[in-house]
Amino acid sequence: MRGDGDGWAVGPDGEKRWGRHGAAGLLLRAPLPDGTPAVLLQHRAAWSHQGGTWALPGGARDSHESTVDAAVREAHEEAGIDVAALSVRTERVTSGLPGGWTYTTVIADAPRPLDTALNGESTELRWVPESEVETMPLHRGFAEAWPALRTCPVRMLLDTANVLGTSGPTGWWRDRPGATSALLADLAAVLPRTVELPGGLFGWVPRIEVVLEGQARDAVVDDARLPVHTAAGSGDDELARLAAATTTAVDPSVTVVVTADRGLRDRLPEGIVAVSPSTVLGWL
């Protein structure tokens, strides 16, 4: 079955929205050469609803589809996106009508700006730096949703020993440098990425700064996505120092420390966000 979603949904007050079973769109991010995120936008054809504006690839959801399936399908149909090259992160309902109609924004990442191909619903497809999205003439619904969908830059600091110790019965203590190297290689492979932050905001993590102490300082880490800080003594001391430091080279909107160590959490300056190791382990 295919195509039974096309048509208007009408709310109790007579307001109409496209998609008999609701609608979905794909917010796809990818890193630019400088590491900052770009978003794939579609310049809507003149004949379409609010034609001439910019929005996300998307459309009506068929009755047998999930919102993720609908958004990914629409992105493939309208933008020629290689769906095998993207990773879905989460979804969020960004519009709705009394009576059940919803528009769901599915958020996904790609390792690089993917090639695109126009169909008749677009006059242009463009990877737009995220900082420039709000300067464009946006579709009204997307413009209303964008402030809650955009990311802020995140500086993430990893309490590597603590994360490794909570990763399960892997026997990491028998070969701490080797286990550390393997963990960090797995983390590098899932960067950069969109993340959900406490409070419902989104962040962009292009790299993770890792702190190594003791035997783990012999780990092999050779990836620009994982800057390494070697602690001369306590890793907690180094993490607390890094969290408190401010430089002109790194001026993030949010600093996140990944640790389950309550003592370290208590030492972090006000405004620093602490998240549990399960946050990053769940990416693997």
Short mmCIF file of all heavy atoms in Angstrom, two decimals, residues 164-204:
data_model
loop_
_atom_site.label_atom_id
_atom_site.label_comp_id
_atom_site.label_asym_id
_atom_site.label_seq_id
_atom_site.Cartn_x
_atom_site.Cartn_y
_atom_site.Cartn_z
N LEU A 164 34.76 4.09 30.95
CA LEU A 164 35.24 2.74 30.70
C LEU A 164 34.80 1.79 31.81
O LEU A 164 34.40 0.65 31.56
CB LEU A 164 36.77 2.75 30.59
CG LEU A 164 37.45 1.47 30.09
CD1 LEU A 164 37.00 1.14 28.68
CD2 LEU A 164 38.96 1.63 30.14
N GLY A 165 34.84 2.26 33.05
CA GLY A 165 34.47 1.43 34.17
C GLY A 165 33.00 1.09 34.24
O GLY A 165 32.62 0.12 34.91
N THR A 166 32.16 1.85 33.55
CA THR A 166 30.72 1.58 33.54
C THR A 166 30.26 0.93 32.24
O THR A 166 29.06 0.76 32.04
CB THR A 166 29.93 2.88 33.75
OG1 THR A 166 30.24 3.81 32.71
CG2 THR A 166 30.25 3.50 35.09
N SER A 167 31.22 0.55 31.39
CA SER A 167 30.85 0.01 30.08
C SER A 167 30.49 -1.46 30.11
O SER A 167 30.11 -2.02 29.09
CB SER A 167 32.00 0.24 29.08
OG SER A 167 33.18 -0.42 29.52
N GLY A 168 30.59 -2.10 31.28
CA GLY A 168 30.19 -3.49 31.40
C GLY A 168 31.37 -4.40 31.66
O GLY A 168 32.53 -3.98 31.71
N PRO A 169 31.08 -5.69 31.83
CA PRO A 169 32.13 -6.68 32.18
C PRO A 169 32.96 -7.07 30.96
O PRO A 169 32.87 -8.19 30.46
CB PRO A 169 31.32 -7.86 32.72
CG PRO A 169 30.01 -7.77 31.97
CD PRO A 169 29.74 -6.30 31.79
N THR A 170 33.77 -6.13 30.50
CA THR A 170 34.56 -6.37 29.29
C THR A 170 35.99 -6.80 29.59
O THR A 170 36.76 -7.05 28.67
CB THR A 170 34.61 -5.09 28.44
OG1 THR A 170 35.19 -4.03 29.22
CG2 THR A 170 33.21 -4.68 28.00
N GLY A 171 36.35 -6.84 30.86
CA GLY A 171 37.73 -7.17 31.23
C GLY A 171 38.71 -6.06 30.93
O GLY A 171 39.91 -6.30 30.77
N TRP A 172 38.19 -4.82 30.92
CA TRP A 172 39.03 -3.68 30.53
C TRP A 172 40.22 -3.49 31.46
O TRP A 172 41.25 -2.96 31.05
CB TRP A 172 38.19 -2.40 30.50
CG TRP A 172 37.47 -2.09 31.79
CD1 TRP A 172 36.22 -2.45 32.14
CD2 TRP A 172 38.00 -1.36 32.90
NE1 TRP A 172 35.91 -2.01 33.39
CE2 TRP A 172 37.00 -1.33 33.89
CE3 TRP A 172 39.23 -0.74 33.16
CZ2 TRP A 172 37.17 -0.71 35.12
CZ3 TRP A 172 39.41 -0.11 34.39
CH2 TRP A 172 38.39 -0.10 35.35
N TRP A 173 40.11 -3.90 32.72
CA TRP A 173 41.18 -3.66 33.68
C TRP A 173 42.43 -4.51 33.39
O TRP A 173 43.50 -4.20 33.88
CB TRP A 173 40.68 -3.98 35.10
CG TRP A 173 40.14 -5.37 35.23
CD1 TRP A 173 40.83 -6.51 35.54
CD2 TRP A 173 38.78 -5.78 35.02
NE1 TRP A 173 40.00 -7.60 35.55
CE2 TRP A 173 38.72 -7.18 35.24
CE3 TRP A 173 37.61 -5.12 34.69
CZ2 TRP A 173 37.54 -7.91 35.12
CZ3 TRP A 173 36.44 -5.84 34.57
CH2 TRP A 173 36.41 -7.22 34.78
N ARG A 174 42.29 -5.57 32.56
CA ARG A 174 43.45 -6.40 32.23
C ARG A 174 44.38 -5.70 31.24
O ARG A 174 45.58 -5.98 31.19
CB ARG A 174 42.99 -7.73 31.63
CG ARG A 174 42.12 -8.57 32.56
CD ARG A 174 41.91 -9.97 31.98
NE ARG A 174 40.89 -10.70 32.73
CZ ARG A 174 39.62 -10.79 32.37
NH1 ARG A 174 39.21 -10.20 31.26
NH2 ARG A 174 38.77 -11.48 33.09
N ASP A 175 43.80 -4.83 30.42
CA ASP A 175 44.59 -4.10 29.42
C ASP A 175 43.97 -2.71 29.29
O ASP A 175 43.24 -2.43 28.36
CB ASP A 175 44.57 -4.83 28.07
CG ASP A 175 45.35 -4.08 26.99
OD1 ASP A 175 46.08 -3.12 27.31
OD2 ASP A 175 45.21 -4.45 25.80
N ARG A 176 44.28 -1.88 30.26
CA ARG A 176 43.64 -0.56 30.29
C ARG A 176 43.96 0.28 29.04
O ARG A 176 43.05 0.88 28.46
CB ARG A 176 44.04 0.19 31.55
CG ARG A 176 43.19 1.41 31.85
CD ARG A 176 43.68 2.09 33.11
NE ARG A 176 43.52 1.25 34.27
CZ ARG A 176 42.49 1.33 35.12
NH1 ARG A 176 41.53 2.20 34.90
NH2 ARG A 176 42.44 0.55 36.17
N PRO A 177 45.21 0.33 28.56
CA PRO A 177 45.46 1.11 27.35
C PRO A 177 44.70 0.56 26.13
O PRO A 177 44.14 1.33 25.34
CB PRO A 177 46.97 1.00 27.15
CG PRO A 177 47.52 0.70 28.51
CD PRO A 177 46.48 -0.16 29.15
N GLY A 178 44.67 -0.76 25.97
CA GLY A 178 43.98 -1.34 24.83
C GLY A 178 42.48 -1.11 24.89
O GLY A 178 41.85 -0.79 23.87
N ALA A 179 41.90 -1.29 26.08
CA ALA A 179 40.46 -1.08 26.23
C ALA A 179 40.10 0.38 26.01
O ALA A 179 39.07 0.70 25.40
CB ALA A 179 40.01 -1.54 27.61
N THR A 180 40.96 1.28 26.48
CA THR A 180 40.73 2.71 26.27
C THR A 180 40.79 3.04 24.78
O THR A 180 39.93 3.77 24.26
CB THR A 180 41.76 3.53 27.05
OG1 THR A 180 41.64 3.25 28.44
CG2 THR A 180 41.55 5.02 26.82
N SER A 181 41.78 2.52 24.09
CA SER A 181 41.91 2.78 22.65
C SER A 181 40.68 2.30 21.90
O SER A 181 40.17 2.98 21.00
CB SER A 181 43.16 2.07 22.10
OG SER A 181 44.33 2.54 22.72
N ALA A 182 40.18 1.11 22.26
CA ALA A 182 39.01 0.55 21.57
C ALA A 182 37.77 1.39 21.82
O ALA A 182 36.99 1.68 20.90
CB ALA A 182 38.79 -0.89 22.02
N LEU A 183 37.57 1.81 23.08
CA LEU A 183 36.41 2.65 23.40
C LEU A 183 36.44 3.96 22.63
O LEU A 183 35.43 4.38 22.04
CB LEU A 183 36.38 2.93 24.90
CG LEU A 183 35.36 3.98 25.37
CD1 LEU A 183 33.94 3.47 25.16
CD2 LEU A 183 35.59 4.36 26.83
N LEU A 184 37.60 4.60 22.60
CA LEU A 184 37.70 5.90 21.95
C LEU A 184 37.56 5.77 20.43
O LEU A 184 36.99 6.66 19.79
CB LEU A 184 39.01 6.57 22.33
CG LEU A 184 39.15 6.89 23.83
CD1 LEU A 184 40.47 7.59 24.10
CD2 LEU A 184 37.97 7.73 24.34
N ALA A 185 38.05 4.69 19.86
CA ALA A 185 37.86 4.48 18.42
C ALA A 185 36.38 4.35 18.09
O ALA A 185 35.90 4.88 17.08
CB ALA A 185 38.63 3.25 17.97
N ASP A 186 35.64 3.64 18.95
CA ASP A 186 34.20 3.49 18.73
C ASP A 186 33.49 4.84 18.84
O ASP A 186 32.57 5.14 18.06
CB ASP A 186 33.61 2.52 19.74
CG ASP A 186 34.01 1.07 19.48
OD1 ASP A 186 34.47 0.78 18.35
OD2 ASP A 186 33.87 0.25 20.40
N LEU A 187 33.91 5.68 19.79
CA LEU A 187 33.29 6.99 19.95
C LEU A 187 33.59 7.90 18.77
O LEU A 187 32.70 8.62 18.28
CB LEU A 187 33.77 7.65 21.25
CG LEU A 187 33.12 7.16 22.54
CD1 LEU A 187 33.76 7.85 23.75
CD2 LEU A 187 31.61 7.42 22.52
N ALA A 188 34.82 7.88 18.29
CA ALA A 188 35.17 8.72 17.14
C ALA A 188 34.31 8.39 15.93
O ALA A 188 33.94 9.28 15.16
CB ALA A 188 36.65 8.55 16.80
N ALA A 189 33.96 7.12 15.79
CA ALA A 189 33.20 6.68 14.61
C ALA A 189 31.78 7.21 14.59
O ALA A 189 31.14 7.21 13.53
CB ALA A 189 33.18 5.15 14.55
N VAL A 190 31.27 7.69 15.73
CA VAL A 190 29.89 8.19 15.76
C VAL A 190 29.85 9.72 15.87
O VAL A 190 28.81 10.30 16.22
CB VAL A 190 29.08 7.54 16.90
CG1 VAL A 190 28.95 6.04 16.64
CG2 VAL A 190 29.72 7.81 18.26
N LEU A 191 30.97 10.37 15.57
CA LEU A 191 31.04 11.82 15.58
C LEU A 191 31.26 12.33 14.16
O LEU A 191 31.82 11.62 13.33
CB LEU A 191 32.20 12.30 16.46
CG LEU A 191 32.11 11.99 17.95
CD1 LEU A 191 33.39 12.43 18.65
CD2 LEU A 191 30.90 12.67 18.58
N PRO A 192 30.83 13.60 13.90
CA PRO A 192 30.05 14.49 14.76
C PRO A 192 28.59 14.07 14.80
O PRO A 192 28.15 13.26 13.97
CB PRO A 192 30.23 15.85 14.09
CG PRO A 192 30.41 15.53 12.66
CD PRO A 192 31.17 14.22 12.61
N ARG A 193 27.83 14.68 15.68
CA ARG A 193 26.44 14.25 15.84
C ARG A 193 25.61 15.32 16.54
O ARG A 193 26.12 16.16 17.28
CB ARG A 193 26.36 12.95 16.62
CG ARG A 193 26.85 13.04 18.03
CD ARG A 193 26.83 11.69 18.72
NE ARG A 193 25.49 11.13 18.83
CZ ARG A 193 25.15 9.94 18.35
NH1 ARG A 193 26.03 9.18 17.73
NH2 ARG A 193 23.92 9.49 18.50
N THR A 194 24.31 15.22 16.31
CA THR A 194 23.32 15.99 17.07
C THR A 194 23.02 15.24 18.35
O THR A 194 22.90 14.01 18.36
CB THR A 194 22.02 16.14 16.26
OG1 THR A 194 22.31 16.76 15.01
CG2 THR A 194 21.00 16.97 17.02
N VAL A 195 22.91 15.96 19.46
CA VAL A 195 22.57 15.35 20.74
C VAL A 195 21.43 16.12 21.38
O VAL A 195 21.26 17.32 21.16
CB VAL A 195 23.78 15.31 21.70
CG1 VAL A 195 24.89 14.47 21.12
CG2 VAL A 195 24.27 16.71 22.03
N GLU A 196 20.65 15.41 22.17
CA GLU A 196 19.62 16.05 22.99
C GLU A 196 20.23 16.43 24.33
O GLU A 196 20.87 15.61 24.99
CB GLU A 196 18.43 15.12 23.18
CG GLU A 196 17.64 14.86 21.91
CD GLU A 196 16.39 14.05 22.17
OE1 GLU A 196 15.36 14.66 22.54
OE2 GLU A 196 16.45 12.83 22.00
N LEU A 197 20.00 17.67 24.74
CA LEU A 197 20.53 18.17 26.00
C LEU A 197 19.42 18.23 27.04
O LEU A 197 18.23 18.28 26.69
CB LEU A 197 21.12 19.56 25.79
CG LEU A 197 22.30 19.66 24.83
CD1 LEU A 197 22.64 21.12 24.55
CD2 LEU A 197 23.51 18.92 25.37
N PRO A 198 19.79 18.23 28.32
CA PRO A 198 18.76 18.41 29.35
C PRO A 198 17.96 19.68 29.10
O PRO A 198 18.52 20.71 28.70
CB PRO A 198 19.59 18.51 30.64
CG PRO A 198 20.85 17.75 30.34
CD PRO A 198 21.14 18.02 28.90
N GLY A 199 16.66 19.60 29.29
CA GLY A 199 15.80 20.74 29.05
C GLY A 199 15.18 20.75 27.66
O GLY A 199 14.44 21.68 27.32
N GLY A 200 15.49 19.73 26.86
CA GLY A 200 14.85 19.62 25.56
C GLY A 200 15.55 20.32 24.42
O GLY A 200 15.04 20.31 23.29
N LEU A 201 16.70 20.95 24.69
CA LEU A 201 17.44 21.61 23.61
C LEU A 201 18.30 20.59 22.86
O LEU A 201 18.49 19.46 23.31
CB LEU A 201 18.32 22.71 24.19
CG LEU A 201 17.59 23.84 24.93
CD1 LEU A 201 18.61 24.82 25.51
CD2 LEU A 201 16.61 24.56 24.01
N PHE A 202 18.83 21.03 21.71
CA PHE A 202 19.72 20.18 20.93
C PHE A 202 21.10 20.80 20.87
O PHE A 202 21.25 22.02 20.86
CB PHE A 202 19.19 20.00 19.50
CG PHE A 202 17.93 19.18 19.43
CD1 PHE A 202 16.69 19.78 19.29
CD2 PHE A 202 17.99 17.80 19.52
CE1 PHE A 202 15.53 19.02 19.23
CE2 PHE A 202 16.84 17.02 19.46
CZ PHE A 202 15.60 17.64 19.31
N GLY A 203 22.11 19.94 20.83
CA GLY A 203 23.49 20.40 20.72
C GLY A 203 24.19 19.70 19.58
O GLY A 203 23.76 18.64 19.10
N TRP A 204 25.30 20.31 19.14
CA TRP A 204 26.12 19.75 18.07
C TRP A 204 27.48 19.42 18.66
O TRP A 204 28.16 20.30 19.21
CB TRP A 204 26.25 20.73 16.92
CG TRP A 204 27.15 20.29 15.81
CD1 TRP A 204 28.40 20.76 15.52
CD2 TRP A 204 26.86 19.30 14.82
NE1 TRP A 204 28.91 20.13 14.42
CE2 TRP A 204 27.99 19.23 13.96
CE3 TRP A 204 25.78 18.46 14.56
CZ2 TRP A 204 28.05 18.35 12.87
CZ3 TRP A 204 25.84 17.59 13.49
CH2 TRP A 204 26.95 17.55 12.65
#
